[in-house]
Amino acid sequence: GIVLINDYSEIGCGSTIDRGSISNTIIGKNTYLDNQIHIAHNVKIGDNCIIGCGVIINNSIIGKRVVIQDNCKIGQKGFGFIPFKNKNFKIPHIGKVQINNDVEISSGCTIDRGSVDDTVIGNNTYLDNQIHIAHNVKIGANSIIAGQVGIAGSSIIGNNVKIGGGSGVIKDIESNSIVMGYPAVNFKEFIKNWRK
């Protein structure tokens, strides 16, 4: 494979892009990569994207008009062990991360690659700063997730979901929900319990 960089794209100082091993590494048209970025082999980034300083992207397919702010880590192995008596066996991860169109990911977020299935972020979803999304999570379209939220592996988040800051998501969330807390619950229930 090769590195294919399309027209009008820019790459900042100290950034590295690995050539493809199985397929080509692709940077779309009019995409801007800031300084000190690492793009691993076989990653595909769509047109009109902005990738901030210090971002590392592995095992990922990224759509069009995606913004990834500084110091995000996308597509690394997630947490997963099989415990043995004297040593824990780390579960291999073979899935990828798929980030769809018009997504914005703010600074310092971590999105794990899938273990068997893929981790998916739906169209027009916004992730605030310092969010962790574990392996195999599926987040629907038009969702908004506030800062410092953690989403447990294999959770499915519907469309048009809002998750309040500092929440811990440990189970699926239906579309058109607003949740907050640890564990995350319906927002009205959270406020009711908080006032006690």
Side-chain angles (χ1 to χ4, degrees):
I2 61 170
V3 175
L4 179 59
I5 300 172
N6 285 290
D7 296 341
Y8 310 112
S9 289
E10 295 181 44
I11 301 171
C13 296
S15 292
T16 58
I17 303 173
D18 293 345
R19 63 183 293 180
S21 59
I22 299 168
S23 62
N24 297 335
T25 304
I26 299 174
I27 309 299
K29 293 179 183 178
N30 197 36
T31 285
Y32 175 72
L33 307 182
D34 206 336
N35 302 326
Q36 304 295 326
I37 291 169
H38 177 69
I39 307 296
H41 59 272
N42 309 324
V43 166
K44 292 171 178 46
I45 300 176
D47 299 343
N48 302 301
C49 293
I50 299 172
I51 312 297
C53 186
V55 170
I56 297 174
I57 303 175
N58 295 296
N59 308 301
S60 298
I61 297 173
I62 295 172
K64 297 177 181 179
R65 300 173 302 278
V66 171
V67 175
I68 301 174
Q69 295 183 19
D70 297 350
N71 297 313
C72 291
K73 310 298 183 240
I74 297 173
Q76 286 74 28
K77 289 181 182 177
F79 180 86
F81 292 91
I82 298 172
F84 286 102
K85 191 172 185 179
N86 296 318
K87 185 176 182 179
N88 294 321
F89 174 73
K90 190 167 174 81
I91 297 170
H93 284 66
I94 59 172
K96 60 184 179 294
V97 173
Q98 180 178 330
I99 297 173
N100 292 327
N101 299 333
D102 302 302
V103 168
E104 183 164 351
I105 301 169
S106 296
S107 299
C109 292
T110 304
I111 303 175
D112 295 343
R113 71 184 293 191
S115 57
V116 177
D117 202 357
D118 294 338
T119 302
V120 179
I121 312 296
N123 292 335
N124 196 41
T125 283
Y126 175 79
L127 307 181
D128 197 6
N129 298 322
Q130 298 178 343
I131 289 170
H132 176 237
I133 297 173
H135 57 223
N136 309 324
V137 167
K138 307 276 188 288
I139 299 176
N142 305 309
S143 292
I144 298 173
I145 302 175
Q148 297 183 335
V149 167
I151 301 178
S154 301
S155 298
I156 298 174
I157 312 299
N159 301 319
N160 307 304
V161 169
K162 295 182 182 178
I163 303 175
S167 296
V169 176
I170 59 173
K171 62 181 182 178
D172 296 350
I173 298 174
E174 294 180 2
S175 293
N176 306 306
S177 297
I178 302 174
V179 300
M180 189 165 184
Y182 188 89
V185 295
N186 179 278
F187 186 70
K188 288 181 181 177
E189 183 181 340
F190 172 82
I191 293 297
K192 181 178 165 185
N193 291 333
W194 178 72
R195 288 180 175 162
K196 289 180 180 178

